[in-house]
Amino acid sequence: MRILRTIAEVREAVTHARRAGKRVGFVPTMGAFHEGHLSLMREARAHNDLVVVSLFVNPTQFAPNEDLSTYPRDEARDTENAEQEGVDIFFAPAPAEVYPDGFATTIHVAGLTDVLDGASRGAHHFDGVATVVTKLFGIVRPDVAYFGQKDAQQVLVVRRVVRDLDLDVRIVACPIVREADGLAMSSRNVYLDADARQQATALNRALDAAQALHDGGERDADRILRAANTVLEHAGITPEYLELRDADTLEPVADATRDTLLAVAAHVGAARLIDNHVLKASS
Ligand code: PAF
């Protein structure tokens, strides 16, 4: 595995591979790898000739009051893990390489970013994500890029950027990877102390309760949300949001008759956690 720091080096390596007819798979990350990240790398490895992983803790997607300075970082461990997964190129640029003096462009996706995490974290969050992902796509020029479904809204935002800007990359969303007790894996889980770690299991239990109701034929949004909220209340969690929205457009829904995203965000102990289930129309 080659560890590269500059855009020029990555361009050269990828251009070389492309000329040799290789298919390029790309996994953008902010590091602090867990099984969720590794599952994306495995998927990329299984379907591509050249696998590129980026590690860049993107400052523009953090608000001033968020955890940019404390965000978990362990590049040595991350490079080891990536190497074990058969990654070919590990791109870990410095902030000034990505955002040189004079950088002045922002990609803003209207509509989709006004709700859920866009509403609770602020518009800067998805502007930062859309801008850095577009930039990384421009650097790596992958055939396929892999994202985790845990960040369901991020996947929709990235798909919309790709569609609206005619970017020649296919987006693959990979399933959420969970701990044995159902907690969705997240780099931010390291912020949880033992009590909060236990309390955090309520997020997926709440989604499971709603899912069970939906599986039993319930379609009324209020009743489905009430089932989830009851579990959260019992665990002493007040969600930042707990919402049912159309899984493609993120429009609010009164009933879950189409594929519907049930999304939750909550502060548990020192961590802000998100999780979701897609309630399938066919189930
Ligand atoms: O999901 C993440 O880790 C980040 O939002 C991403 C896609 C790497 C952009 O910084």
Side-chain angles (χ1 to χ4, degrees):
M1 184 177 80
R2 295 178 66 196
I3 300 174
L4 304 180
R5 305 277 172 196
T6 68
I7 293 168
E9 287 169 318
V10 175
R11 275 192 191 285
E12 207 220 291
V14 174
T15 303
H16 195 260
R18 280 188 168 284
R19 286 214 184 103
K22 291 191 175 169
R23 185 186 154 91
V24 180
F26 176 44
V27 182
T29 81
M30 298 207 301
F33 294 160
H34 50 68
E35 271 299 312
H37 297 107
L38 303 186
S39 74
L40 304 181
M41 294 177 210
R42 275 173 216 142
E43 195 62 16
R45 183 67 285 163
H47 298 286
N48 298 278
D49 306 304
L50 185 85
V51 175
V52 182
V53 168
S54 64
L55 187 175
F56 181 62
V57 182
N58 175 35
T60 64
Q61 69 189 74
F62 290 78
N65 63 330
E66 291 184 340
D67 57 345
L68 174 62
S69 61
T70 54
Y71 194 81
R73 289 167 168 87
D74 192 345
E75 189 183 310
R77 188 179 135 269
D78 287 346
T79 50
E80 247 173 59
N81 284 335
E83 178 131 46
Q84 273 163 17
E85 296 303 336
V87 169
D88 299 299
I89 294 175
F90 190 88
F91 177 42
E97 180 72 6
V98 178
Y99 298 117
D101 279 350
F103 188 94
T105 300
T106 299
I107 308 275
H108 176 71
V109 178
L112 277 180
T113 63
D114 294 342
V115 300
L116 303 177
D117 258 30
S120 55
R121 296 185 68 176
H124 73 278
H125 173 63
F126 286 116
D127 288 359
V129 170
T131 304
V132 83
V133 168
T134 305
K135 174 141 183 156
L136 289 167
F137 285 173
I139 296 166
V140 177
R141 281 163 300 142
D143 295 288
V144 195
Y146 298 83
F147 292 82
Q149 175 63 18
K150 184 169 79 67
D151 297 299
Q153 189 175 12
Q154 171 170 280
V155 172
L156 292 174
V157 168
V158 170
R159 283 193 200 283
R160 184 63 66 87
V161 171
V162 166
R163 192 184 87 184
D164 288 354
L165 300 184
D166 298 304
L167 304 183
D168 195 10
V169 52
R170 191 161 65 83
I171 304 301
V172 173
C174 297
I176 299 176
V177 179
R178 298 183 180 281
E179 303 286 355
D181 60 9
L183 178 67
M185 291 202 185
S186 163
S187 303
R188 292 187 167 98
N189 289 352
V190 298
Y191 299 150
L192 299 167
D193 64 19
D195 288 345
R197 172 67 187 75
Q198 176 52 35
Q199 194 186 18
T201 62
L203 293 189
N204 184 52
R205 282 190 284 112
L207 301 179
D208 277 347
Q211 176 86 60
L213 210 58
H214 182 268
D215 290 349
E218 182 60 75
R219 293 294 180 266
D220 180 75
D222 286 341
R223 282 198 282 269
I224 293 172
L225 289 172
R226 221 173 297 133
N229 215 7
T230 303
V231 176
L232 295 179
E233 263 174 30
H234 278 143
I237 295 174
T238 307
E240 209 171 83
Y241 61 74
L242 171 67
E243 293 183 34
L244 273 173
R245 290 186 170 264
D246 182 281
D248 295 319
T249 64
L250 297 186
E251 292 294 325
V253 294
D255 50 51
T257 44
R258 292 158 48 92
D259 285 0
T260 306
L261 180 72
L262 173 60
V264 64
H267 286 271
V268 181
R272 180 183 183 278
L273 304 177
I274 59 172
D275 200 351
N276 71 81
H277 279 200
V278 176
L279 306 180
K280 291 280 185 193
S282 53
S283 71

